[in-house]
Amino acid sequence: MKKLFILFGLCSLCSRGGSRLSSITTTTKDPDKPVPIRDVSAVNDGRAELPCDIDPPDPSDRVYLVLWYRELAGKPLYSFDLRGRPPNTAKHWSADPTFGFGTRANFRVGSGPETPTALVIKTITLLDEGVYRCRVDYRNSPTRNMKLNLTVVEEPHAPQIKRDTDIQQDVGGAYAGPFNEGEELKLVCEVHGGRPSPTVFWYVDDQIVNGKTQIEPGKDIVVNKLRYAMLNRDMNNKKVSCVAKNNDINDPKTRTVTVQMNLRPQSVKILRKQNFLTEGVKVQIICEARGSEPPAQIRWYIGETPAENYKVQNKIQHNPLGSTTTSILIFEPGQGDNKRRISCRAFNKNIPGSTIEDHWDVHVMYKPRLTLTLGRTLNPQEIKERDDVYFECLIVSNPEANKLEWYHQDRRLYPNATGGILLSNQSLVIQGVSQKNNGEYTCRAENRQGKATSNEINLSIKYSPVCDNKSIDNSKIAVDSSVVTIVDCYLDSNPPVSQVYWISSKQGHQSRISPSQYTLMEGFSRLSYQPERTREADFGELLCYGVNKVGTQTDPCVFSIEAAGRPYPLENCKLGNSTGTFGVICDPGFDGGLTQAFNLEIFVSETKALLRNMTRNQPKFQLAGIHSNQPVSLQVYSWNKKGRSEIVTVAESVRINTDLGSRSTELPPSLVMKEPLYLVIGGAGIGFLLITFLSLIWYFKRRAVGKKLAVVEV
C-alpha cells in the first residue's frame, strides 16, 4: 500500500491556473500510513491550485467523496460529494471564511493533462499558507490521501535604476544618461521587498549581463550594480533592463531604460582641397564631421584666429549612431593668406577634449606687390646734383614675377652705362644725377596673375641756380637812355635762390652792378637799368648770377643790350573763329624795346580805299558787325615811338559776314561806302584821329619813368 501512494503522488506533478508543484516530494509519516507531500506555490493576491488525483486505481470503481483538510485540523474545510449522485451533479461545500475559504475556493474536476483536478483558491493571502490534505474515498477502492505544502510568494516592488553616485538619484524616465563616450558607466538596480528575496540581474538588449549583487542587511533590499569601466559608442541607444524574479508563476518585475550617450566626432575632413586659390576669387570650403552625437559643432580658424567675420553655412544629418555635420566657409583669399593654415575643428560641446581637426595650408596666387624704397644710406632731402642715387624694388608675388621694369615720369628706363643708368636684379642706380633726373620713379612687375605698379618716389635733386627758359627766350633787351628799362632774370634752382648779383659786361670789361638797382623776388631778380648814353660803346651784356645752398650759378643768364628801335613784324596771323568770335589773331614780334600797339586795316581790294582801321593793345581784332559786299584785304602791323613794323597781309580779296563767320555774305547797303566822296571823308576822319592818338601816346610816354619788358611765355 505504501508503494501505491508514492506512485499516486508522482503522477500528479503538474498544475494550472496560479500555483505550481515543485519537483521535490517529501513523505510525512501518519500514525496509520505515510502520506506523500507536494510543494505548491502561489503569488499573494493571486490564485492557488492544490492538485488532487481522484482517479480510482480500478477503472471500474468510482469516487464517492473528496474531503480537504488543513494541516492537523480534525474537520474538513471543503467537500466534493458524489454519494448517491450522478457524476456531473456533485455537491460542493466550502467552510465559512472564519475557518475555510468561503466562496474563494472551488473544486475543479480535471478534463485532461491541461486542466488537472485541483482545489482552486482565489485571492490568496499570506494566511492561506500551510499544509493541506486531500482525502479521496471510493466505492470499492481504499481511501487515498495526498498532502500539499502551499507557500505564498510575495512579489518584490518594481526595480529602481539609479546612477551609482553619492546621491544615487533615480535615472527617471525611459532614458539613462547622457553618458560621455569613454567614461565609466555605473548603474545600480535596487529592489525592495519580495518573499522570498528575489534574484536580481541585468539584461543589455537580449543578453544577460552579470552584475554584483548584494543584500542590504535588515532592509529587505536587494542591490545589483552594473559597471562598465569605459563606455564605447556601441552602447549608445542600447536597452538596459534590471530584472527581479522570485517565482515562476508571474512574469518577473522589470525596469528598462535606454542608454543615451554623447559621442565624440570620429572624423573631420576638409573636402576638395584645391592646389591653389586666386586672390579676390571667392571659394566655398566644405568641412564634414561624422560620428558625433549630438551633432558636432564646427569652428573655422584662419591661422590661429577664429573666422568670426566670415560667412558660414551649416547643415546636419541626424543618425543615432553618430550624426554628420557639414559646414561651408565662404572664403575670399587675399595676398596675406598665402601659406596660411585654414583649420576645421569639430567637437562635441558635452565632451571635454573631444576636438579633432583637419587643416589645409592654402596657396594663394596674386599679382605682385611692389614696394619702392630709396637706398638706405640716402637722405632724400640731401640729394645733390652729381650724387649717385639707387632704388630698391621689393617684390612679393605668387607665382614669382617674371618681368621687372623701371619708369621715370611714366617713361621706361633702359640700361645705359654711358648715361649713368644701371639695372641689376631689383635695383636701379643713377650715377651723377642732375636736374633732368628730378621727378617720380616707379617699378612695375608682372606674373601670370597680372601687372602691378609700386608706390611713387619723387626725387627732388638739389642743384645750383640755372637760367629759366623765360630768361633764355627774352635774352635780347632794347633800351632807351631816356627811360629806365626793367630786366627780369628768371632762375631755376633747388633749394630757392637766396642771393643774386648782376654784372655789366662792356667791350670785355666787367663790373658789379650796385645791389640798390635790383631786387630778389620769388623765382626771379628784377634789375632797373638805364644806360648813360645810347652810343654803341655803352651797350654790351648784362650777366645775372644766382646763389643757393648748393652753390653759385656756373653759367650766368646773359642779356644782350642794344638800342631801342622799331618793333618786329607780327607772326602767325590767322583770320577765322577763335573762342567763338570771328576776327584776326596774331603773335606779337619783338617790341624794339618800347611799348608797342597793333593795328588792323581793311581796304577795298580793287580801289585800295580804307574801310576800317583798328588799334589794340594786343594783336587780337574782333570783326563783329563788319560786312562787305565787295572783296577786301586785311593788313596788320605794330608800332612804337620809334616807328612802325613791316606790314603783314592777313587776307586778300575776301568777303566778310561775321554773323555767319563767312567770307562771302553781302554787307547791308546802309553800311557799305559806295561813293568816292564817302571814301575821302572817311579817310580824312581816320587820319585826323590817328594823328591825335599818336600825339597823346608820345606825350604820355615821355612822362613815363620806366618800361616793362614784354615777355612771351611758352
Side-chain angles (χ1 to χ4, degrees), residues 513-701:
I513 297 176
S514 171
S516 63
Q517 293 183 243
Y518 57 85
T519 59
L520 177 61
M521 302 182 186
E522 184 176 357
F524 70 97
S525 175
R526 174 164 289 175
L527 171 67
S528 298
Y529 181 72
Q530 185 177 14
E532 296 179 1
R533 296 177 295 275
T534 57
R535 297 179 305 172
E536 184 177 349
D538 293 326
F539 300 116
E541 294 177 335
L542 294 175
L543 308 181
C544 170
Y545 288 87
V547 181
N548 66 2
K549 291 182 179 179
V550 177
T552 301
Q553 183 174 346
T554 303
D555 298 320
C557 300
V558 180
F559 299 92
S560 297
I561 305 301
E562 62 182 46
R566 295 186 305 160
Y568 286 14
L570 295 169
E571 301 173 346
N572 302 321
C573 293
K574 297 179 182 179
L575 173 64
N577 286 312
S578 177
T579 64
T581 302
F582 188 72
V584 175
I585 298 178
C586 301
D587 293 332
F590 178 58
D591 61 4
L594 300 172
T595 302
Q596 62 180 344
F598 306 94
N599 273 48
L600 168 66
E601 294 179 347
I602 303 176
F603 295 92
V604 178
S605 298
E606 184 177 352
T607 63
K608 303 301 181 181
L610 181 64
L611 294 179
R612 184 67 60 91
N613 187 357
M614 299 182 185
T615 302
R616 300 287 185 269
N617 292 329
Q618 296 294 329
K620 298 179 181 179
F621 305 93
Q622 296 182 5
L623 301 181
I626 297 178
H627 304 267
S628 69
N629 58 1
Q630 49 188 320
V632 296
S633 298
L634 287 79
Q635 298 178 347
V636 293
Y637 59 88
S638 60
W639 55 273
N640 61 18
K641 73 174 185 176
K642 293 290 187 179
R644 188 173 71 174
S645 71
E646 296 179 3
I647 294 175
V648 175
T649 300
V650 179
E652 291 183 332
S653 300
V654 297
R655 297 177 185 272
I656 300 175
N657 180 358
T658 56
D659 289 341
L660 301 176
S662 170
R663 301 182 181 182
S664 60
T665 303
E666 294 295 333
L667 202 65
S670 60
L671 297 180
V672 178
M673 298 181 182
K674 296 182 179 180
E675 300 296 331
L677 178 61
Y678 293 159
L679 296 177
V680 174
I681 295 174
I686 292 173
F688 175 77
L689 292 175
L690 180 59
I691 292 172
T692 303
F693 179 71
L694 291 175
S695 299
L696 290 173
I697 291 177
W698 178 82
Y699 173 76
F700 285 112
K701 288 297 182 180

Side-chain angles (χ1 to χ4, degrees), residues 159 189-191 198-202 211 213 222-224 242-245:
C189 181
E190 188 176 282
V191 181
T199 300
V200 179
F201 52 93
W202 295 92
T213 303
V222 180
V223 174
N224 191 315
C242 176
V243 181
K245 180 178 180 181

Side-chain angles (χ1 to χ4, degrees), residues 229-261:
M230 182 179 292
L231 274 176
N232 60 49
R233 61 191 305 115
D234 294 337
M235 281 292 292
N236 188 38
N237 290 317
K238 284 199 172 182
K239 296 185 181 302
V240 175
S241 302
C242 176
V243 181
K245 180 178 180 181
N246 68 349
N247 67 86
D248 293 327
I249 301 171
N250 291 344
D251 293 333
K253 300 289 186 180
T254 304
R255 170 75 187 281
T256 300
V257 294
T258 300
V259 174
Q260 282 189 329
M261 293 180 62

Side-chain angles (χ1 to χ4, degrees), residues 310-474:
Y310 292 80
K311 184 178 180 181
V312 176
Q313 301 172 354
N314 294 318
K315 61 180 180 179
I316 296 172
Q317 294 178 343
H318 289 278
N319 187 321
L321 300 179
S323 300
T324 299
T325 302
T326 302
S327 182
I328 302 175
L329 173 68
I330 310 300
F331 182 63
E332 183 176 343
Q335 176 258 333
D337 297 315
N338 187 41
K339 297 183 179 180
R340 183 169 289 180
R341 175 165 291 184
I342 296 179
S343 303
C344 172
R345 300 178 185 178
F347 61 96
N348 188 322
K349 64 179 181 179
N350 299 317
I351 305 179
S354 63
T355 302
I356 57 176
E357 173 184 317
D358 189 23
H359 59 262
W360 176 22
D361 296 330
V362 299
H363 293 271
V364 181
M365 299 295 190
Y366 53 90
K367 295 192 300 184
R369 297 291 196 277
L370 307 178
T371 303
L372 181 61
T373 60
L374 202 58
R376 296 181 180 178
T377 60
L378 297 177
N379 183 348
Q381 306 301 323
E382 300 296 334
I383 298 175
K384 303 184 297 297
E385 55 186 349
R386 293 182 294 277
D387 287 347
D388 293 338
V389 176
Y390 62 95
F391 298 89
E392 293 288 341
C393 185
L394 176 63
I395 305 176
V396 179
S397 68
N398 190 24
E400 292 185 357
N402 51 31
K403 187 176 182 181
L404 175 62
E405 299 173 344
W406 292 89
Y407 286 83
H408 175 219
Q409 298 290 90
D410 287 332
R411 295 180 60 184
R412 185 176 175 183
L413 298 176
Y414 295 92
N416 183 357
T418 304
I421 303 296
L422 304 179
L423 303 181
S424 176
N425 294 329
Q426 296 175 204
S427 299
L428 166 65
V429 178
I430 306 176
Q431 296 176 325
V433 296
S434 62
Q435 183 182 354
K436 68 179 182 179
N437 300 119
N438 273 330
E440 296 175 345
Y441 287 81
T442 58
C443 57
R444 301 178 187 178
E446 179 180 352
N447 65 6
R448 293 199 305 269
Q449 297 299 312
K451 301 178 181 179
T453 302
S454 72
N455 56 297
E456 297 176 345
I457 290 184
N458 188 29
L459 193 61
S460 178
I461 299 170
K462 304 297 187 289
Y463 53 91
S464 58
V466 295
C467 285
D468 189 87
N469 288 334
K470 293 180 181 180
S471 296
I472 297 173
D473 294 340
N474 296 277

